[in-house]
């Protein structure tokens, strides 16, 4: 109800607790299982099957070229209380200090650093059918396994649970 009062109500549930920005992962032990999280998404999300159908269709045939396929450092950034500009809140490992250069230069530098990172041709997620359900966030991979090119085990399991739930519901609706 609160989300609906704050605008158009298009908020998305995100149940992934991540390690803190100092590399501690102990908070990750509090995560809900991927299967339970998917059920929570369907119970409280606004027509999840339709939302995932939209994503499956939108990303059909998409070939990822850049490591950061989102809007990090292109459309948005995160400014820390210490004056550091980050591509996003989750990418605390990448930053440019606004104490050392003007905002425009800092943003351009950060954007170049993020946008110039290619998505590896041999990355295991490249041919994964569940990638639509996770989008393999490099910042989350870095938080979970200390490697932007890595794979977050939780995020991967969540994507596969979402994929299973979506296709099982879709096939049942077709019957």
């Amino acid at each position: 109800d609160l989300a609906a009062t704050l605008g158009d109500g298009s908020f998305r549930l995100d149940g992934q607790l991540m390690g803190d920005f100092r590399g501690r992962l102990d908070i990750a032990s509090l995560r809900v299982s991927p299967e339970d999280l998917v059920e929570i998404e369907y119970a409280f999300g606004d027509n999840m099957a339709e939302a995932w159908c939209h994503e499956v269709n939108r990303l059909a045939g998409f070939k990822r070229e850049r490591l950061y396929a989102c809007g990090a450092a292109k459309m948005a950034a995160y400014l820390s209380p210490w004056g550091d500009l980050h591509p996003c809140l989750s990418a605390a490992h990448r930053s440019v200090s606004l104490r050392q250069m003007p905002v425009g230069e800092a943003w351009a530098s950060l954007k170049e650093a993020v946008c110039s990172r290619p998505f590896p041709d041999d990355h295991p997620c490249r041919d994964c059918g569940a990638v639509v359900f996770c989008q393999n966030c490099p910042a989350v991979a870095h938080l979970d396994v200390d490697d932007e090119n890595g794979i977050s085990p939780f995020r991967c399991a969540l994507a596969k649970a979402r994929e299973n739930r979506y296709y099982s519901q879709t096939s049942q609706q077709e019957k």
Side-chain angles (χ1 to χ4, degrees):
D1 292 340
L2 174 62
T5 67
L6 297 176
D8 67 1
S10 59
F11 287 84
R12 180 178 64 87
L13 174 69
D14 186 354
Q16 179 169 327
L17 295 173
M18 295 179 271
D20 70 18
F21 300 130
R22 296 169 302 213
R24 291 180 35 227
L25 292 174
D26 53 335
I27 194 168
S29 68
L30 301 174
R31 288 177 175 159
V32 174
S33 76
E35 296 77 17
D36 288 346
L37 182 52
V38 169
E39 293 309 313
I40 292 168
E41 289 175 339
Y42 273 82
F44 296 99
D46 188 25
N47 201 348
M48 292 302 296
E50 185 178 311
W52 286 122
C53 181
H54 172 76
E55 286 299 291
V56 167
N57 292 329
R58 184 178 73 86
L59 295 173
F62 174 73
K63 184 175 188 287
R64 187 168 169 182
E65 301 295 332
R66 292 180 295 106
L67 184 62
Y68 281 80
C70 60
K74 289 188 316 183
M75 299 171 25
Y78 166 69
L79 179 59
S80 78
W82 300 275
D84 296 319
L85 190 65
H86 303 272
C88 71
L89 181 62
S90 298
H93 62 288
R94 292 196 170 274
S95 67
V96 178
S97 175
L98 296 183
R99 294 178 307 265
Q100 297 174 353
M101 66 180 78
V103 174
E105 285 179 38
W107 194 307
S109 172
L110 193 61
K111 181 178 178 181
E112 172 62 27
V114 169
C115 292
S116 65
R117 306 279 321 261
F119 190 62
D121 287 333
D122 62 346
H123 197 284
C125 297
R126 181 162 302 279
D127 298 319
C128 175
V131 74
V132 169
F133 300 92
C134 81
Q135 288 91 29
N136 181 263
C137 174
V140 171
H142 187 271
L143 286 170
D144 277 0
V145 297
D146 200 29
D147 180 5
E148 285 183 318
N149 288 313
I151 298 171
S152 163
F154 178 82
R155 192 82 175 230
C156 186
L158 178 58
K160 290 177 181 176
R162 285 173 172 162
E163 178 186 43
N164 290 337
R165 177 69 158 83
Y166 171 74
Y167 286 115
S168 69
Q169 180 175 355
T170 304
S171 66
Q172 288 180 3
Q173 287 175 347
E174 291 173 358
K175 291 179 184 178

